[in-house]
Amino acid sequence: MSDTLIGFGARQRTRPALRVSGRAVAVRLRRFLSPVLLVVAWQIACSSGVLSTRLVASPAQIVTTGWSLLHDGTLPTNLSVSLIRAVSGLAIALVVGVSLALMSGLSRVGEDLIDAPLQILRTLPALALVPLFILWFGIGETPKVLLVALGATFPIYLNLHKGIRAIDPKLLEMARTLGLSRGRTIREVILPGALPDLLVGLRFAVGISWLMLVVAEQVNADSGIGHMMMDAEDFLRTDIILVGLFIYGLLGLASDQIVRFLETNLLAWRPSYRAVGRTS
Amino acid sequence: MSDVRRAPSGATAGQAVIVEGLTKRFGNGPAVLDRLDLAIAPGEFVALLGHSGSGKSTLLRTLCGLDDVTEGTVSRPSEVSVVFQESRLLPWKRVWQNVVLGQDGADRRARAEAVLREVGLGHRIDAWPLTLSGGEAQRAALARALVREPAFLLLDEPFAALDALTRLKMQQLVSDLWVRHRCAVLLVTHDVDEALLLADRAVVLERGRIRTDLPITLDRPRRHADPTFERLRATLLESLGVHDA
């Protein structure tokens, strides 16, 4: 980000700076060069018939299909269904993960009771529970949301628990010498101190929830982006499948940005985040 | 904690702090503190010296209530503040919020502002602690101790991690603050000169007992070149086992 800013300011002033800005622009363009070339090559391969559209649709076709899916409402409908599943699963994971981490992080009894079973469950691949979830919860929304929640709970629990346990004992001693009550110590010292770890956990959880959602929607669903893609498979519509992939990519990117935004704002006290906030 | 009597400031026999027969051991090891007796008068500035492992830190931790009293008695005022070697500021709270941490009342910010100005940190009220220099962070820690208006102030090697020039400034600051607030002070230090510059009395601890209890009757401000200063310095170094030529 910073090199363009420098280049932009400099361009208006002097000739040597013009060269600098020219080079900076060239460097940035070079970064885009290879993806653009790949897409062009892809298009040429499809148009000339080297690549069969039954294997992979052409970029132009993908754009057209994306546009029509957007207009006939297929994409918005399925996207909102997927979003609701992911967000509600993540919300459940946040509540459960944070509560469990608080209980086991703040009391020895809690740790003995909660930590061991969670550490055991964590080693199970959550996706292996799909058949069991379908037996238990049927094929409605419940198993899908719960699958997302299950996968996302662990990173939140593990990171927050670690964060609480890793609070500097010197700060806790200081709180004692200041006469802070237990409740106040938790509120003012322990929770803010563990927040960076919670946000790391949240970032992992967001990534995992998309993964869980993809599987849940492809195994058994009548709506959602995953269902849209599975449906397209039956009709050899590689263009729709690729639109779905593209949407998944965008969703992952967007949710990562949201967590980054949270980090920059909630952790303003950390020098690294402040520096990032200043230059961008 | 049951043995700690909370004396109203300076009540018991005119002393702010009274330690009697304090013994402390970890596990079955030798006593870290061995039947220790110590009294500090209200407003008295006592420097506590000793080698590592002499029991200084254990005594300090007991006096500020971090460690329990198991043998002997400790009586101290209820308003005790501590400044540690590290500032121990919460990085996620601004400087002024750190100063009044745990304090209630609508005038919190005003009180923080006043005491921060007193320690020369009036311009960093809203700063994040991680942006402070070592000296500034210790000033903030001092402000946090003073805002509670302690009757007894514990300083645990508060300048040990600072550079020499900053240390001189901080010693001057502590001296000024003590003149103004007149609380009893226990300064744990390794620095004999620091003890002689600041304290009314220097106590040398050795294997959990008081080896030397030396009154420092020099007038303030004190000069290193003063012959009495030199003499006291030699005495203290001698009792610390350092023989100055």
Side-chain angles (χ1 to χ4, degrees):
Chain A
M1 211 59 201
S2 57
D3 48 28
T4 46
L5 287 175
I6 293 164
F8 189 74
R11 194 175 349 207
Q12 300 169 325
R13 267 181 273 124
T14 51
R15 264 186 161 281
L18 189 83
R19 276 207 303 275
V20 171
S21 86
R23 205 183 306 144
V25 169
V27 166
R28 285 185 67 77
L29 283 182
R30 206 168 57 204
R31 289 181 58 79
F32 286 108
L33 193 63
S34 54
V36 169
L37 281 181
L38 275 174
V39 172
V40 170
W42 174 6
Q43 180 65 50
I44 292 171
C46 287
S47 308
S48 63
V50 175
L51 262 179
S52 157
T53 48
R54 282 170 58 177
L55 292 177
V56 59
S58 74
Q61 181 62 43
I62 294 169
V63 172
T64 326
T65 308
W67 187 250
S68 68
L69 285 175
L70 202 63
H71 270 261
D72 70 6
T74 319
L75 192 56
T77 318
N78 286 311
L79 183 60
S80 62
V81 169
S82 290
L83 266 179
I84 289 171
R85 284 174 187 154
V87 169
S88 31
L90 202 58
I92 295 174
L94 208 57
V95 172
V96 174
V98 168
S99 318
L100 289 175
L102 288 182
M103 281 189 272
S104 86
L106 297 175
S107 89
R108 287 283 161 201
V109 182
E111 174 154 41
D112 291 343
L113 291 178
I114 292 169
D115 198 51
L118 275 172
Q119 296 288 350
I120 296 168
L121 278 178
R122 163 181 93 93
T123 60
L124 283 178
L127 293 177
L129 290 172
V130 170
L132 210 51
F133 267 46
I134 292 175
L135 277 181
W136 288 348
F137 306 112
I139 51 167
E141 289 303 295
T142 321
K144 295 174 188 66
V145 171
L146 285 184
L147 207 61
V148 172
L150 180 79
T153 299
F154 290 107
I156 290 175
Y157 167 83
L158 292 170
N159 281 284
L160 182 56
H161 178 256
K162 189 197 87 192
I164 292 174
R165 286 287 175 210
I167 296 282
D168 186 354
K170 288 181 172 174
L171 291 183
L172 295 175
E173 268 183 15
M174 185 275 303
R176 273 178 66 199
T177 64
L178 293 183
L180 256 62
S181 65
R182 177 82 179 139
R184 213 155 181 169
T185 305
I186 292 173
R187 264 203 325 280
E188 316 242 22
V189 184
I190 298 180
L191 294 187
L195 187 62
D197 290 287
L198 174 63
L199 288 174
V200 170
L202 184 62
R203 208 146 156 191
F204 279 115
V206 166
I208 288 182
S209 27
W210 292 122
L211 184 70
M212 300 302 272
L213 192 69
V214 170
V215 175
E217 288 188 337
Q218 293 193 351
V219 168
N220 215 316
D222 49 15
S223 58
I225 299 291
H227 162 75
M228 186 183 87
M229 289 163 73
M230 290 312 282
D231 226 25
E233 187 201 329
D234 296 340
F235 302 100
L236 303 175
R237 291 287 303 272
T238 50
D239 51 342
I240 298 184
I241 297 180
L242 284 164
V243 168
L245 278 176
F246 189 67
I247 297 294
Y248 275 136
L250 278 185
L251 287 173
L253 205 65
S255 45
D256 207 54
Q257 288 299 319
I258 292 174
V259 181
R260 266 172 199 271
F261 175 80
L262 284 177
E263 283 181 341
T264 332
N265 284 279
L266 294 176
L267 307 181
W269 51 271
R270 296 219 293 204
S272 56
Y273 283 109
R274 249 197 329 281
V276 168
R278 220 180 281 136
T279 50
S280 62
Chain B
M1 284 304 267
S2 57
D3 293 78
V4 181
R5 275 176 293 173
R6 299 261 170 171
S9 314
T12 330
Q15 301 290 0
V17 180
I18 303 175
V19 177
E20 276 171 338
L22 181 64
T23 300
K24 193 108 204 174
R25 60 182 83 239
F26 296 116
N28 292 321
V32 182
L33 293 176
D34 188 7
R35 287 160 290 153
L36 185 90
D37 298 320
L38 179 71
I40 301 174
E44 190 183 18
F45 198 129
V46 177
L48 183 66
L49 296 131
H51 290 283
S52 314
S54 59
K56 294 192 308 279
S57 308
T58 313
L59 178 59
L60 181 121
R61 290 178 60 86
T62 312
L63 284 175
C64 67
L66 285 174
D67 284 356
D68 292 346
V69 177
T70 42
E71 268 182 82
T73 56
V74 169
S75 118
R76 58 181 182 122
S78 47
E79 312 84 25
V80 177
S81 288
V82 200
V83 177
F84 295 98
Q85 186 176 332
E86 326 81 19
S87 61
R88 303 198 186 185
L89 299 168
L90 298 177
W92 44 85
K93 291 201 176 282
R94 294 183 189 274
V95 167
W96 76 268
Q97 292 169 317
N98 263 288
V99 168
V100 286
L101 184 63
Q103 302 272 297
D104 293 310
D107 60 339
R108 288 168 79 236
R109 192 179 156 97
R111 285 170 61 203
E113 211 170 324
V115 73
L116 279 167
R117 213 165 273 142
E118 199 182 346
V119 299
L121 214 56
H123 58 299
R124 304 301 308 264
I125 290 171
D126 287 315
W128 294 112
L130 292 184
T131 63
L132 299 181
S133 69
E136 287 175 331
Q138 281 309 73
R139 280 172 198 262
L142 257 177
R144 183 179 59 195
L146 288 176
V147 82
R148 279 144 242 272
E149 288 161 17
F152 181 33
L153 178 62
L154 287 150
L155 304 173
D156 186 6
E157 302 187 36
F159 319 126
L162 302 178
D163 67 84
L165 285 176
T166 313
R167 191 180 312 145
L168 288 179
K169 278 192 210 156
M170 290 296 288
Q171 287 167 350
Q172 188 57 49
L173 175 67
V174 164
S175 173
D176 293 348
L177 291 171
W178 172 67
V179 168
R180 223 170 307 148
H181 291 262
R182 278 292 160 182
C183 47
V185 178
L186 183 73
L187 168 72
V188 175
T189 180
H190 275 114
D191 186 344
V192 170
D193 284 8
E194 185 171 288
L196 289 172
L197 274 177
L198 296 172
D200 295 320
R201 214 169 105 211
V203 174
V204 177
L205 214 57
E206 191 182 276
R207 278 187 234 104
R209 309 214 62 173
I210 291 176
R211 173 173 169 154
T212 313
D213 193 334
L214 186 71
I216 305 166
T217 48
L218 292 164
D219 289 333
R220 291 183 167 89
R222 292 167 175 172
R223 307 254 169 264
H224 288 78
D226 193 322
T228 326
F229 193 103
E230 285 294 326
R231 197 172 41 76
L232 289 168
R233 189 166 184 276
T235 317
L236 274 182
L237 283 173
E238 178 115 9
S239 79
L240 283 162
V242 182
H243 300 284
D244 214 1

